[in-house]
Amino acid sequence: MQRVVALIAAAFCVLSLYAAPKSCRVISPDKSLVFELSTGDRIQYSVYKNGDLVLAPSEIALKLGNGTVYGGKMTPKSVKTRSVDNSIDALFYKKARLRDNFNESRFVFSSFDIVVRVYDAGAAYRFVSKSKKAFEVESETASFNFP
């Protein structure tokens, strides 16, 4: 069932990226947390908790030492989704096993990806470079616009 939901979400994300506004939502397993990634003039994200906006559209980008910018006016070529629900052995924690349960979307751009992972209690994104060479990050834009 989770696989069917992930496939439907992936189809929705891909189709929504080609319609205005260009955005895609990644929803937590318990459906209480929503991370929305939007593209257009810049890449932005918003976060909703139980339907309430908790983080208004906030820009993200990376500028590399060679002048390449991961961000700005870009649209993903595709979106790949997956759902995970398993447990992990905990060595130094009050419980012996921890539940690892999240939904993830990988937004595929030409030279980089943005991976968004949403748990019931939080969300995170990361940039993934496709470069085979070493590089330096000159600056990062990570804004947090609270409503």
Side-chain angles (χ1 to χ4, degrees):
M1 182 64 178
Q2 274 190 333
R3 197 165 201 77
V4 171
V5 171
L7 289 173
I8 291 170
F12 172 76
C13 286
V14 170
L15 292 174
S16 68
L17 287 170
Y18 293 102
K22 296 176 181 165
S23 65
C24 183
R25 292 180 167 209
V26 185
I27 302 170
S28 64
D30 71 358
K31 298 179 181 34
S32 67
L33 194 64
V34 175
F35 185 105
E36 183 176 65
L37 189 79
S38 303
T39 61
D41 289 338
R42 56 189 170 195
I43 299 173
Q44 296 181 311
Y45 70 100
S46 304
V47 178
Y48 300 83
K49 178 68 174 174
N50 296 321
D52 296 325
L53 181 67
V54 294
L55 200 57
S58 303
E59 184 177 3
I60 58 173
L62 278 182
K63 183 177 181 184
L64 306 184
N66 65 5
T68 301
V69 176
Y70 295 167
K73 191 172 187 172
M74 298 184 155
T75 302
K77 296 188 297 185
S78 65
V79 180
K80 300 174 184 176
T81 63
R82 71 180 183 130
S83 295
V84 171
D85 189 1
N86 59 32
S87 57
I88 301 170
D89 291 331
L91 300 177
F92 304 103
Y93 190 64
K94 60 186 174 185
K95 296 180 182 179
R97 298 191 58 77
L98 298 172
R99 186 175 182 199
D100 189 24
N101 185 25
F102 60 87
N103 290 324
E104 180 181 276
S105 289
R106 176 179 286 262
F107 299 87
V108 179
F109 295 85
S110 58
S111 59
F112 69 97
D113 296 347
I114 296 176
V115 178
V116 174
R117 189 175 283 187
V118 183
Y119 293 83
D120 292 340
Y125 70 87
R126 64 185 166 109
F127 287 90
V128 179
S129 175
K130 295 179 184 176
S131 175
K132 302 294 184 206
K133 299 178 184 176
F135 61 88
E136 292 182 13
V137 175
E138 182 178 306
S139 64
E140 177 181 10
T141 301
S143 60
F144 305 93
N145 295 322
F146 297 99

